[in-house]
Amino acid sequence: MLHAFWKNFLGNSPVWYKQAIIGFLFLNPLMLYTLGPFVTGWVLIGEFIFTLALALKCYPLQPGGLLAIEAVILGMTSPQMVFEETVANFEVILLLMFMVAGIYFMKDLLLFVFTRILINVRSKVALSVLFSFVAAILSAFLDALTVTAVLISVGVGFYNVYHRVASSSGGVTGNDDDDVHHDHRESLEQFRAFLRSLLMHGAVGTALGGVCTLVGEPQNLLIATVAGWDFITFFLLMAPVTMPVLACGLLTCIFLEATGYFGYGATMPKVVRDILVDYQAEEEKKRNALLNAKLVIQGLVAAILVIALALHLAAVGLIGLMVIVLLTAFNGITEEHQIGHAFEEALPFTALLVVFFAIVAVIHDQHLFSPVINTVLAMEADLRPPMFFLANGILSMISDNVFVATVYINEVKAALDAGTISRKEFDQLAIAINTGTNLPSVATPNGQAAFLFLLTSALAPLIRLSYGRMVIMAFPYTLVLGGVGFWAVTQFIVG
């Protein structure tokens, strides 16, 4: 029975991984009572990042959830604080539940459009810049997570088309390549590298565009609300930093594809292009009035989606629910099990996000970031904006950028209300907080919700996109976005 319990614990994860998680669970109480909650809190963050880094060994929900439950039991945070953190991010949860499912019902249209783009745009550099720039524009007016959901849906669609031909089973097996024909294996690896680079360019594009407007990322709206900025004011105040960063980000995309550094530069294999061309031809043959009507409905609903999001007619999640209702009603998807498949992708990540909020609650209750905040606020006025940019960037790599922005903007608002800083200084620091939490946080998947969503999606294991590989591929972008952002803050915001 003991052997059976051990075998069931975390399923097929490696033995060393299981031992590590058990070790963490035994170590944390000892550290709490010997070194105190502050040190133990930082160790807990490291342990949680460990579970994210090894997401391909075991989905982080289970090991991360065990660590979060233990933290609550040990009194490092409370169920109430976890609940409050979750409620504060309820719009993000609604978005994941409904918007991602809504995109699922739009996959025929997405595959229809993007297959043509992939076949007709033969230059990998042009294709990469197109993915990054379109993702940036969409994220500026819509939402980074929604755009990432589109990218994931497109990636899975392309992979499925090729894998159906490349495998003897005629279907997608996920991590196992045993059924892939031997003569297709090399091209499959190249196609995975091709998709990885496109997806990473697109994911970075969501950060490049998301920082520009008050709707691009959740923390932007929070900062704008506290500062009292409207859409145009926010855009103009951020532009001295965000526009140079956008330009340099796109130049970085071109450089990486031209040089092939950091895992970029892979082109689409000819055999894959041929299969996609054949697939497109087959789809054209099968297309009838019924299928065309479905595409028309998906196109109309896509237009409604863009308008509703751009005008912010409702919370993003509620717009997603509207998309689900419209697409299923007018395209004849009326059985419960058909609808259920749409939620399989997003709900595990939604659960993981709530576990992440429990870790954020520990950070909040144990004041883990307070020493950094107090040190920066004690600096000279000219040094504060660039130091705030750096501090927010570094902490956002470790924690959630929304949480970091919340903590910092509230501290700065309190300093303004107390008369410690002027309104001009407040505006400078608010710009530094927004750009700091949005730009350097691309360094790790836990820094950006869109990156974490991509890492834990069904697509990541298919294209072998691990935590470590994401960090390596994001590294040049981190240097450029962080470096140019820091330079722009020092040149254009200070003074």
Side-chain angles (χ1 to χ4, degrees), residues 142-183:
L142 308 181
D143 177 88
L145 277 171
T146 304
V147 176
T148 306
V150 171
L151 292 174
I152 290 169
S153 183
V154 168
V156 170
F158 287 145
Y159 188 88
N160 285 355
V161 169
Y162 176 61
H163 205 283
R164 273 197 293 270
V165 176
S167 66
S168 55
S169 63
V172 175
T173 59
N175 295 323
D176 191 2
D177 286 348
D178 289 344
D179 64 340
V180 176
H181 297 300
H182 185 73
D183 54 345

Side-chain angles (χ1 to χ4, degrees), residues 153-303:
S153 183
V154 168
V156 170
F158 287 145
Y159 188 88
N160 285 355
V161 169
Y162 176 61
H163 205 283
R164 273 197 293 270
V165 176
S167 66
S168 55
S169 63
V172 175
T173 59
N175 295 323
D176 191 2
D177 286 348
D178 289 344
D179 64 340
V180 176
H181 297 300
H182 185 73
D183 54 345
H184 277 290
R185 291 197 178 185
E186 189 177 338
S187 59
L188 176 59
E189 285 306 314
Q190 187 180 340
F191 187 45
R192 281 172 171 154
F194 171 81
L195 285 178
R196 278 197 303 269
S197 59
L198 273 189
L199 266 290
M200 283 301 294
H201 288 312
V204 171
T206 65
L208 289 171
V211 67
C212 296
T213 64
L214 62 81
V215 297
E217 295 279 355
Q219 69 268 28
N220 299 17
L221 185 57
L222 168 78
I223 292 166
T225 303
V226 173
W229 297 334
D230 60 21
F231 190 95
I232 300 297
T233 304
F234 185 97
F235 176 80
L236 293 175
L237 285 171
M238 296 299 159
V241 180
T242 56
M243 291 302 105
V245 168
L246 175 61
C248 291
L250 294 175
L251 288 173
T252 305
C253 175
I254 295 169
F255 172 79
L256 290 172
E257 284 302 323
T259 60
Y261 293 158
F262 297 97
Y264 293 96
T267 55
M268 186 193 296
K270 184 180 182 303
V271 63
V272 178
R273 182 178 295 279
D274 291 343
I275 287 170
L276 288 177
V277 169
D278 291 343
Y279 168 79
Q280 185 185 5
E282 284 295 318
E283 289 298 301
E284 289 296 335
K285 286 179 188 175
K286 290 191 291 185
R287 190 155 288 122
N288 53 32
L290 200 64
L291 291 174
N292 285 335
K294 286 184 176 181
L295 285 177
V296 169
I297 291 295
Q298 289 179 28
L300 290 172
V301 173

Side-chain angles (χ1 to χ4, degrees), residues 289-366:
L290 200 64
L291 291 174
N292 285 335
K294 286 184 176 181
L295 285 177
V296 169
I297 291 295
Q298 289 179 28
L300 290 172
V301 173
I304 293 170
L305 168 65
V306 171
I307 293 166
L309 286 171
L311 298 178
H312 313 294
L313 300 181
V316 178
L318 295 180
I319 294 171
L321 181 58
M322 176 189 71
V323 167
I324 293 172
V325 172
L326 292 175
L327 287 176
T328 53
F330 287 97
N331 281 340
I333 304 167
T334 55
E335 295 180 22
E336 186 179 1
H337 74 274
Q338 289 177 297
I339 298 168
H341 290 304
F343 293 89
E344 290 174 0
E345 175 71 24
L347 286 185
F349 179 70
T350 308
L352 174 62
L353 204 62
V354 175
V355 168
F356 186 58
F357 295 149
I359 305 299
V360 171
V362 172
I363 294 171
H364 186 275
D365 278 346
Q366 302 307 324

Side-chain angles (χ1 to χ4, degrees), residues 36 87 97-98 123 159-160 200 227-228 233 263 346-347 355 392 405 411 427 433 439 451 462 465 476:
V87 169
M97 287 171 62
F98 296 133
S123 166
Y159 188 88
N160 285 355
M200 283 301 294
T233 304
L347 286 185
V355 168
N392 277 269
E411 290 287 339
D427 287 347
I433 291 168
L439 298 174
F451 278 45
L462 298 179
L465 186 62

